[in-house]
Amino acid sequence: MTAAVTDTAGKPGSKGFSIRAIMREAGIGLALIGLIIVFSLASEHFLTANNITNILTQITINLILAVGMTFVILIGGIDLSVGSVLALAAVVAGKAISMPGLGPAEAIALAVLAAMVAGTLCGILNGVVSAWWGLPSFIITLGMLNIARGAALQISDARTIYSFPVEFNNFGSLTVWGLPVVFLVALGLALVAWLVLSRTVFGRLIYGLGNSEEAVRLAGHSVFWLKVAAFTICGFTAGIAAIIYMARLNIASPIAGSGFELNAIAAVIIGGTSLSGGRGSVLGTLLGAFIIGVLANGLILLGLSDFMRQMITGVVIIVAVILDHYRAKLTKG
């Protein structure tokens, strides 16, 4: 029975899994290369070192949120609360880092821990409520969106928190070999998530859950705890994204993260992860985040208004969903 779950999940290394992964991610990669070529020809500023650094920095938060979102969407769920959870985690971390009597190192460590705990607890709550009562995650996380946002406003008294240690502020602009450190953090997180999903039993069960909850249950695994784990990971990554947000902008705002959940979901969908669950990868999510980042940056360089950029991004998302529909038919079986 366990073997059936592994097959259903698309065991990494199997022929079917490899063919589907190559079809999905090669197509996304070609789309990204096409965008880069178009914007390179349209603007002489696109492929400059400064602009490439800007793109990498700009996609960091979305990539981190999208990595966590991948786990949730793979099980057939959705998390609309990550933007608000980011704001709550940032405010909690901002309060922690501003506590009197702490040295810079202690304050930063406490802030990082506080953000991760706040995000993780929100994720656990999303998962437990959704899984225990069998309720749609769309509704549960919509409720959490409002709870976390309200809590962020209440804790901060609706005020932005600032004046962080210089060492913390410097982290947001630090580079290594010309690459932003914050992007390297996001890339490292994506690598860990890829290894978990493609090289562990837990990862196979996440895929299996998205394909058939009953098969996972009959194999003797806890559907409840797997769902809770997926949402917990999503909340945890929102906490990490909150720290990156604070380091980049040097503030902790209770209104931060508005709309971030939509960008994260878009990156996952454009990256080829099916909304019905059971199919997708972190590599695809990485490429999807790059596509959104490159698209946004290129459209700005072309002088398009914010309204036009939103419209074009929306069209790209819809096209990605349509392509996923046909890709599922072509790779079925």
Side-chain angles (χ1 to χ4, degrees), residues 30-326:
L30 288 174
L32 176 59
I33 292 172
L35 276 178
I36 292 173
I37 292 173
V38 169
F39 288 130
S40 298
L41 295 174
S43 173
E44 60 182 8
H45 302 292
F46 182 77
L47 279 184
T48 61
N50 285 339
N51 193 55
I52 292 173
T53 300
N54 287 337
I55 293 174
L56 296 179
T57 302
Q58 289 163 4
I59 71 170
T60 294
I61 293 176
N62 190 35
L63 175 57
I64 293 172
L65 292 175
V67 166
M69 189 70 71
T70 302
F71 283 83
V72 171
I73 294 181
L74 279 174
I75 67 170
I78 202 80
D79 191 341
L80 298 178
S81 68
V82 291
S84 295
V85 170
L86 180 151
L88 175 59
V91 166
V92 171
K95 286 288 187 179
I97 205 171
S98 303
M99 288 181 64
L102 294 178
E106 292 85 355
I108 293 171
L110 182 60
V112 171
L113 179 62
M116 291 192 296
V117 169
T120 300
L121 288 177
C122 289
I124 291 173
L125 187 57
N126 280 334
V128 168
V129 174
S130 178
W132 183 266
W133 282 281
L135 300 173
S137 57
F138 176 90
I139 300 299
I140 302 305
T141 57
L142 182 61
M144 178 58 74
L145 180 153
N146 289 283
I147 293 170
R149 183 69 67 186
L153 290 165
Q154 180 67 35
I155 293 171
S156 66
D157 197 24
R159 296 177 180 176
T160 298
I161 303 170
Y162 52 91
S163 297
F164 303 145
V166 174
E167 296 85 351
F168 184 74
N169 294 341
N170 290 341
F171 175 76
S173 57
L174 194 64
T175 60
V176 175
W177 303 311
L179 298 175
V181 170
V182 290
F183 172 73
L184 294 177
V185 171
L187 197 61
L189 188 66
L191 176 60
V192 171
W194 175 77
L195 290 173
V196 168
L197 285 173
S198 63
R199 297 291 185 268
T200 68
V201 173
F202 171 75
R204 295 171 189 171
L205 290 173
I206 289 293
Y207 280 101
L209 194 61
N211 282 291
S212 174
E213 285 190 20
E214 188 62 20
V216 173
R217 184 179 292 107
L218 291 175
H221 300 284
S222 172
V223 170
F224 173 82
W225 287 115
L226 285 170
K227 287 185 176 181
V228 171
F231 280 97
T232 300
I233 291 170
C234 195
F236 173 76
T237 56
I240 295 177
I243 292 296
I244 300 299
Y245 172 90
M246 292 170 62
R248 278 191 57 203
L249 301 182
N250 303 329
I251 61 171
S253 171
I255 61 172
S258 179
F260 283 17
E261 62 281 346
L262 301 181
N263 288 332
I265 293 169
V268 177
I269 295 171
I270 291 172
T273 298
S274 173
L275 279 171
S276 59
R279 190 174 71 252
S281 74
V282 173
L283 176 56
T285 295
L286 173 65
L287 294 173
F290 264 106
I291 286 177
I292 291 179
V294 167
L295 183 64
N297 181 271
L299 294 177
I300 290 174
L301 290 179
L302 294 181
L304 271 68
S305 69
D306 184 57
F307 307 119
M308 285 299 298
R309 295 200 303 272
Q310 289 184 32
M311 292 170 61
I312 292 173
T313 301
V315 170
V316 170
I317 294 170
I318 293 173
V319 170
V321 174
I322 294 173
L323 290 176
D324 178 70
H325 171 75
Y326 287 105

